[in-house]
Amino acid sequence: MKAKYVNPFTDFGFKKIFGEEASKPLLIDFLKSLLPESNIVDLTFKDKDQMGKTEEDRKAVYDIYCENNLGEKIIVELQKAKQNYFKDRTVYYSTFPIQEQAERGEWNYKLKYVYCVGILDFKFEEKVTNGEGEVIHTVQLKDQNNKVFYEKLKFVYLEMPHFVQAEHDLANRLDKWLYFIKHLEDFQGIPEVFKDEVFIQAFEKAEIAKYSEAERHDYEQSLKVFRDNKAVYEYAVNTAFDEGKIEGKIEVARKMKLKGISSSDISDMTGLSEEEINDL
């Protein structure tokens, strides 16, 4: 059956639903359900180039950078594939919205909150908290007594493969958003649980038939990239290659090359050097 709505894990779908000016009410509603302490009333989209992301990262991460009415910075990322040093990268990019708050001349170093939200289309290799299988992982700087040392920097990771709730089990607004994101491409109409103004607008933004020919073309290209990358990742998981099996990594790298994936992206996913990949 042909999909009626976009896949939100694609670059096109993610930006159409959450990253356009007309989509701000949807993004605000989603973030208020995830970060109730942030008191979001309005958002302003900011220039993502300020974060200095590399071209390789932009291929693996679809991101939105915004500021709320209190001047707090919020990064929302959809991470479509696991990368080497994943946590190092997220910490590194969180420093850009911190550094940009520096003021010229006399400045007392008082900072606004920075929130980094990661929607992950994969599972962590290891537990991030004590709860294996948890969907939401909240990370902050803490001291040796497990007390929050600095409250103005928060990472929230949504491990989407672990979200398995059925429609009748959705308990709150965040549950509804996670169910929407995970199952949007499978819907052929708007389920009763989503029949309020915000979600109806989200479904309208996601309806493929309402796009121009150029937009549908862009979506198809985005969907192809998503499917190719997912197929390669699932092949790697299913064949159970690991860091100690060079033959497995080489086989995965060969399959990725045949799909036209760049050497830098292959290196990120397999740990092989670009020189080794180019020699295959």
Side-chain angles (χ1 to χ4, degrees):
M1 185 181 297
K2 192 171 183 180
K4 181 176 181 178
Y5 301 108
V6 294
N7 184 325
F9 291 99
T10 62
D11 185 17
F12 181 96
F14 180 64
K15 290 174 181 174
K16 175 63 70 173
I17 296 168
F18 291 118
E20 296 182 343
E21 192 68 25
S23 303
K24 283 205 299 187
L26 311 181
L27 182 60
I28 289 171
D29 194 273
F30 170 66
L31 290 175
K32 285 175 70 173
S33 70
L34 183 65
L35 307 168
E37 74 275 18
S38 65
N39 297 313
I40 299 171
V41 175
D42 194 15
L43 290 175
T44 302
F45 289 115
K46 295 180 65 65
D47 183 4
K48 293 183 292 184
D49 290 339
Q50 294 177 18
M51 291 193 291
K53 289 206 167 187
T54 66
E55 183 63 26
E56 287 74 18
D57 283 336
R58 293 192 183 281
K59 292 175 183 176
V61 179
Y62 309 142
D63 58 352
I64 296 168
Y65 180 31
C66 54
E67 180 178 291
N68 70 8
N69 47 290
L70 300 176
E72 298 170 341
K73 319 296 181 180
I74 306 171
I75 301 170
V76 185
E77 296 185 334
L78 178 67
Q79 182 100 20
K80 65 182 181 179
K82 190 181 298 180
Q83 295 175 286
N84 286 338
Y85 309 113
F86 162 68
K87 286 183 282 188
D88 300 65
R89 289 169 184 246
T90 60
V91 171
Y92 171 69
Y93 286 121
S94 75
T95 66
F96 285 88
I98 295 173
Q99 293 178 63
E100 74 170 33
Q101 297 182 55
E103 298 177 5
R104 294 182 179 276
E106 294 280 332
W107 180 46
N108 63 5
Y109 290 93
K110 184 177 181 180
L111 297 169
K112 300 286 188 181
Y113 279 73
V114 173
Y115 299 95
C116 300
V117 176
I119 305 172
L120 311 182
D121 192 26
F122 59 87
K123 297 179 182 179
F124 282 115
E125 288 183 354
E126 71 279 356
K127 299 177 186 178
V128 177
T129 67
N130 291 330
E132 186 174 13
E134 288 183 339
V135 177
I136 303 171
H137 305 276
T138 302
V139 181
Q140 288 183 280
L141 292 172
K142 294 188 176 184
D143 65 17
Q144 70 273 21
N145 299 311
N146 204 35
K147 293 182 179 180
V148 175
F149 168 74
Y150 184 71
E151 64 179 13
K152 293 183 181 179
L153 176 62
K154 179 180 285 188
F155 300 87
V156 182
Y157 301 108
L158 302 174
E159 201 170 352
M160 295 304 293
H162 285 313
F163 184 79
V164 295
Q165 286 178 244
E167 183 179 330
H168 61 269
D169 293 324
L170 305 180
N172 52 47
R173 193 71 173 178
L174 181 56
D175 283 352
K176 290 182 180 181
W177 272 116
L178 298 182
Y179 189 80
F180 172 87
I181 292 169
K182 184 158 186 177
H183 298 289
L184 176 60
E185 190 182 25
D186 301 324
F187 295 135
Q188 287 299 312
I190 305 177
E192 192 64 35
V193 70
F194 291 123
K195 291 195 174 175
D196 66 50
E197 183 178 348
V198 170
F199 278 114
I200 288 174
Q201 183 181 350
F203 276 94
E204 289 175 351
K205 292 281 293 179
E207 191 171 348
I208 299 169
K210 294 184 177 180
Y211 299 155
S212 67
E213 184 177 344
E215 286 178 316
R216 285 196 295 271
H217 176 267
D218 289 345
Y219 173 57
E220 289 300 324
Q221 292 299 112
S222 183
L223 187 60
K224 181 180 183 302
V225 171
F226 166 78
R227 286 172 174 167
D228 285 350
N229 286 333
K230 194 170 186 66
V232 170
Y233 177 71
E234 287 177 350
Y235 173 82
V237 172
N238 291 336
T239 54
F241 91 89
D242 58 33
E243 295 296 325
K245 294 182 179 179
I246 188 65
E247 298 86 357
K249 289 194 275 187
I250 290 173
E251 181 62 23
V252 170
R254 284 199 181 104
K255 287 183 176 292
M256 294 174 82
K257 283 189 71 173
L258 289 173
K259 287 184 174 292
I261 298 173
S262 71
S263 296
S264 57
D265 285 349
I266 297 172
S267 178
D268 275 339
M269 290 186 68
T270 65
L272 296 172
S273 70
E274 291 191 36
E275 290 75 15
E276 289 173 317
I277 293 164
N278 291 331
D279 289 339
L280 294 177

